[in-house]
Structure formats: C-alpha cells, structure tokens
Amino acid sequence: MYRAVTRQIEVTVEPNFMPERSAIDRGQYFWSYTIVITNTGTETVQLRTRHWTITDATGRRQDVRGEGVVGEQPVLAPGERFEYTSGVPLPTASGFMTGRYQMVNESGEKFEIDVPTFSLDSPDKGRVLN
C-alpha cells in the first residue's frame, strides 16, 4: 500500500493487476486501484478536481485532468473518509501513476494534496523500479 499525507488529509492507494481485463498477447495491461481519502484534520474539505500523470515502461507520459473522482466531489468532515476504485490501461507490463487532488475548505481556500506515486507491475514481470 502507498500513502501520502498533506494538510492532515491522508491518501492511500492499493493497485491490483487484473489479468482478466488484460490482453497480454496484444500488449494491453489493466490495473484497478483503490484509493482511500481520510480527513484527519479539524476542518471540512471537498475534493474538487484531480490531476494524474501516468507513465508507462517506455517513459511515455499521459496527463489526465478532470472534475472530482468517479463522478463525485466528496465532502469530508473531520474524521470522515471516502473510498473509490478506478482503473487504468497501459500498453506495457509496468508503469506508475502519481497525482494531486484540488481541495477546498469551508472558508473557500483552495489547496492541493498529494496522491502517492504508485507502481503498476504485472506479476509475471516482477517489481520494476521506474
């Protein structure tokens, strides 16, 4: 599991290679990843936007930006958490993702929090340090 904490907001990520959604003979690899965002601070915050940087084993980068996550812009009061699962395809057997969420607090202050960089590795290739 991968973990980052920014401004008392913890983000953990658990990636999972999905052979049933991959077509390895055609160079298509697929991972799901489960993210848990926990507000350990004292102020209520809302996740507004996301920015992902996805890098495959050849170094090819893709930036993905958008509103919220999985169609939601969750509000987290102190002590609350939000969990979701999404997925990512790659043309290589390994890669990594990193990202940031833009948050806003009750007073309207916008700030960014880190999503930890996490490795995407298919089991047959072993762990690769990218």
Side-chain angles (χ1 to χ4, degrees):
M1 181 175 310
Y2 300 85
R3 178 179 179 267
V5 179
T6 310
R7 284 185 61 156
Q8 297 183 304
I9 301 170
E10 178 186 69
V11 180
T12 61
V13 183
E14 185 71 44
N16 181 41
F17 179 67
M18 301 187 71
E20 68 278 7
R21 295 213 33 204
S22 300
I24 295 169
D25 57 326
R26 294 194 306 266
Q28 298 171 348
Y29 300 83
F30 192 88
W31 288 263
S32 68
Y33 54 90
T34 299
I35 294 188
V36 179
I37 304 164
T38 305
N39 182 357
T40 65
T42 59
E43 59 184 356
T44 297
V45 296
Q46 180 179 26
L47 188 155
R48 290 286 180 85
T49 65
R50 70 185 182 283
H51 174 208
W52 288 109
T53 300
I54 306 162
T55 307
D56 70 19
T58 66
R60 183 174 30 230
R61 269 180 53 155
Q62 178 184 2
D63 284 300
V64 178
R65 298 175 189 271
E67 297 289 317
V69 291
V70 295
E72 296 188 50
Q73 292 181 317
V75 175
L76 299 170
E80 289 187 334
R81 61 183 247 154
F82 179 78
E83 179 175 336
Y84 73 94
T85 300
S86 191
V88 61
L90 285 181
T92 59
S94 67
F96 62 93
M97 288 178 64
T98 192
R100 296 178 70 78
Y101 297 133
Q102 183 191 75
M103 310 295 283
V104 64
N105 65 16
E106 291 174 300
S107 63
E109 177 192 2
K110 294 178 182 176
F111 59 95
E112 291 191 337
I113 64 170
D114 294 324
V115 178
T117 300
F118 57 98
S119 186
L120 303 168
D121 298 303
S122 61
D124 60 322
K125 296 294 181 186
R127 184 166 289 272
V128 177
L129 295 177
N130 292 295

